[in-house]
Every structure is written in structure tokens, then in C-alpha cells.
């Protein structure tokens, strides 16, 4: 197609031919692989290879330097596509190898060490199953619990990490409806006389790692 389109051109023949190869490939690649840079780039590289082969076969008067540049063009483009992919994979691997932070919770200044579970939720993926439901405590103790009355002020501390993080919590109100509280950024306050329950807390780090845990709170209100 490009050969027919540029047949009668005197100037910019090969430049026009180049864009006639690349632009359709870029459009097709965008609609088919717009969420995957590697495959999108691959369609462009393949189109450049076809252009290069056509140029080398039809450019009888081209110099050796011009032919060398055209021959190397696909490899240069391929490297430009691979380098960001390699860097991204290296960064992701480093993040995955980061140790989980130690979580400490201060409830009205009383220290509590929960047992968090961690997961990844990067690039909007559904890697984390987010259970956002608290649960009411039974009459019998379930282990370490926090005894309190009045307002409940909670502060979440992540030790052994330099990552910034935000928190959100979920609890039952007086009508047994689940309410969300957003931290400011690492602490939140629950209303007075909430029912005895295990409040669900989710800490989201800037690396997309999430830690979730429960805080069992005894208020004397059943």
C-alpha cells in the first residue's frame, strides 16, 4: 500500500512510507493492546521491520550509512520498548521483596498488637480481597481485647518501614449499619458507647500494599 501511495513522490518518499507503515500499526495496536505497553510496542516494531526490509530491497541508490541506520532502527525501537518494561519489572520485584511492617495500635494510649494480613492491589487490579465487615464480639473473650468506655481514639503505627500510609476503619453503629471512618491520616475516633465489636482497619501504603486487621473493643455495651 505504501509503495503504491509513494510511487510518484519525488521528495519525502521514505518518510511518508515510514509513517504509512507505523501509524496504522500504532492504531491497531492501541485498540487491541492499549493496556499492555509491550504488545503495543511490538506491533510498531513489526511495522518498522517491514518498512526496513522494503527500504533495503528498493533503495538501490542508498548509501551504506543510510542502509545501516534503517537496519538498526527496529532494534533501537525494540530497546526503547524493553527498557521501561524491564525497569518496571525490577521495581515491582523489589517492592514484592519488601518485608511486611510491624503493626502497632494505640487505643486510648493502650498498646495492642494485631495480626494483620497483607496483600497487593497495584494498578487498580483486584489483587486484594477487601473484607470490610466488622463483627460483634461474643460474650466470652476471644483473646487479647481492649477495655474502654467513652470515646475510642485509635492510632495505627507501622514500624520497620519508611512508606507513607493511610488508614480507614469500619464499625457497626447503634443501628447495626456499617460505617466508614477515614484516618487523619493515621488515627481516627469512634463514637461513644459503640457496641462491643471487632473494628476492621485497613492500612494502605504508598507501594499499593495493604494490611488489614481487627481491633476487638469491649465497651460494656451489648
Amino acid at each position: 500500500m505504501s509503495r503504491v501511495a509513494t510511487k510518484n513522490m519525488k521528495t519525502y518518499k521514505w518518510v511518508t512510507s515510514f509513517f504509512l507503515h507505523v501509524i496504522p500499526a500504532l492504531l491497531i495496536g492501541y485498540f487491541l493492546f492499549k493496556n499492555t505497553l509491550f504488545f503495543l510496542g511490538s506491533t510498531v516494531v513489526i511495522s518498522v521491520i517491514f518498512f526496513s526490509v522494503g527500504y533495503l530491497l528498493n533503495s538501490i541508490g542508498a548509501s551504506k550509512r543510510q542502509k545501516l541506520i534503517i537496519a538498526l532502527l527496529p532494534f533501537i525501537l525494540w530497546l526503547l520498548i524493553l527498557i521501561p518494561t524491564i525497569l518496571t519489572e525490577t521495581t515491582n520485584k523489589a517492592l514484592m521483596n519488601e518485608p511486611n511492617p510491624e503493626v502497632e495500635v494505640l487505643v486510648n494510649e493502650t498498646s495492642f498488637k494485631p495480626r494483620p494480613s497483607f496483600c497487593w492491589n497495584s494498578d487498580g487490579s483486584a489483587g486484594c480481597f477487601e473484607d470490610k465487615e466488622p463483627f460483634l464480639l461474643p460474650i466470652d473473650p476471644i483473646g487479647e481485647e481492649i477495655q474502654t468506655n467513652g470515646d475510642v481514639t485509635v492510632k495505627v503505627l507501622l514500624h520497620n518501614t519508611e512508606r507513607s500510609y493511610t488508614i480507614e476503619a469500619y464499625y457497626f453503629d447503634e443501628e447495626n449499619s456499617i460505617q466508614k471512618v477515614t484516618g487523619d491520616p493515621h488515627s481516627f475516633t469512634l463514637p461513644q458507647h459503640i457496641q462491643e465489636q471487632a473494628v476492621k482497619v485497613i492500612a494502605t501504603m504508598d507501594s499499593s500494599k495493604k494490611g488489614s486487621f481487627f481491633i476487638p473493643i469491649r465497651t460494656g455495651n451489648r
Side-chain angles (χ1 to χ4, degrees):
M1 182 186 73
S2 63
R3 188 173 182 181
V4 175
T6 60
K7 181 177 180 180
N8 298 320
M9 294 182 66
K10 300 297 184 182
T11 57
Y12 304 111
K13 180 177 181 178
W14 294 109
V15 174
T16 304
S17 177
F18 175 81
F19 284 110
L20 287 175
H21 279 82
V22 172
I23 292 177
L26 185 61
L27 292 175
I28 293 172
Y30 176 78
F31 286 110
L32 294 178
F33 312 111
K34 59 183 176 182
N35 294 324
T36 307
L37 178 62
F38 180 82
F39 291 113
L40 173 60
S42 297
T43 60
V44 176
V45 170
I46 292 171
S47 69
V48 174
I49 291 175
F50 277 103
F51 163 76
S52 301
V53 171
Y55 181 90
L56 293 174
L57 291 176
N58 295 286
S59 57
I60 299 176
S63 65
K64 292 183 178 180
R65 182 179 179 181
Q66 289 175 319
K67 291 184 178 181
L68 178 62
I69 293 174
I70 294 297
L72 292 177
L73 189 57
F75 300 99
I76 295 172
L77 285 176
W78 191 250
L79 284 176
L80 291 176
I81 294 168
L82 280 181
I83 289 174
T85 304
I86 293 172
L87 291 176
T88 299
E89 289 180 355
T90 303
T91 302
N92 289 339
K93 188 174 293 185
L95 291 175
M96 293 292 289
N97 290 331
E98 282 188 3
N100 293 328
E102 179 185 345
V103 181
E104 180 183 10
V105 177
L106 299 178
V107 182
N108 291 349
E109 301 304 323
T110 299
S111 179
F112 171 72
K113 296 291 184 65
R115 296 180 179 179
S117 60
F118 291 92
C119 62
W120 290 92
N121 195 29
S122 93
D123 296 329
S125 67
C128 287
F129 173 73
E130 295 185 8
D131 176 13
K132 298 180 178 180
E133 291 192 10
F135 63 88
L136 298 178
L137 295 178
I139 296 176
D140 296 329
I142 61 172
E144 185 180 1
E145 300 172 342
I146 301 294
Q147 302 287 336
T148 185
N149 54 57
D151 287 342
V152 181
T153 301
V154 180
K155 186 173 184 179
V156 178
L157 304 174
L158 299 188
H159 301 298
N160 304 326
T161 182
E162 297 181 355
R163 295 285 180 185
S164 62
Y165 60 96
T166 58
I167 58 172
E168 56 190 66
Y170 299 86
Y171 71 97
F172 286 116
D173 62 12
E174 295 178 352
E175 299 178 352
N176 282 337
S177 296
I178 297 178
Q179 301 295 330
K180 176 183 177 181
V181 181
T182 302
D184 187 27
H186 304 151
S187 63
F188 59 90
T189 300
L190 299 172
Q192 294 185 12
H193 309 304
I194 63 171
Q195 298 182 76
E196 295 186 337
Q197 60 184 278
V199 177
K200 183 61 179 282
V201 180
I202 299 175
T204 303
M205 305 169 66
D206 61 4
S207 60
S208 297
K209 178 181 281 189
K210 290 191 174 187
S212 60
F213 51 89
F214 291 99
I215 306 175
I217 298 176
R218 292 288 184 182
T219 62
N221 179 22
R222 302 197 57 82

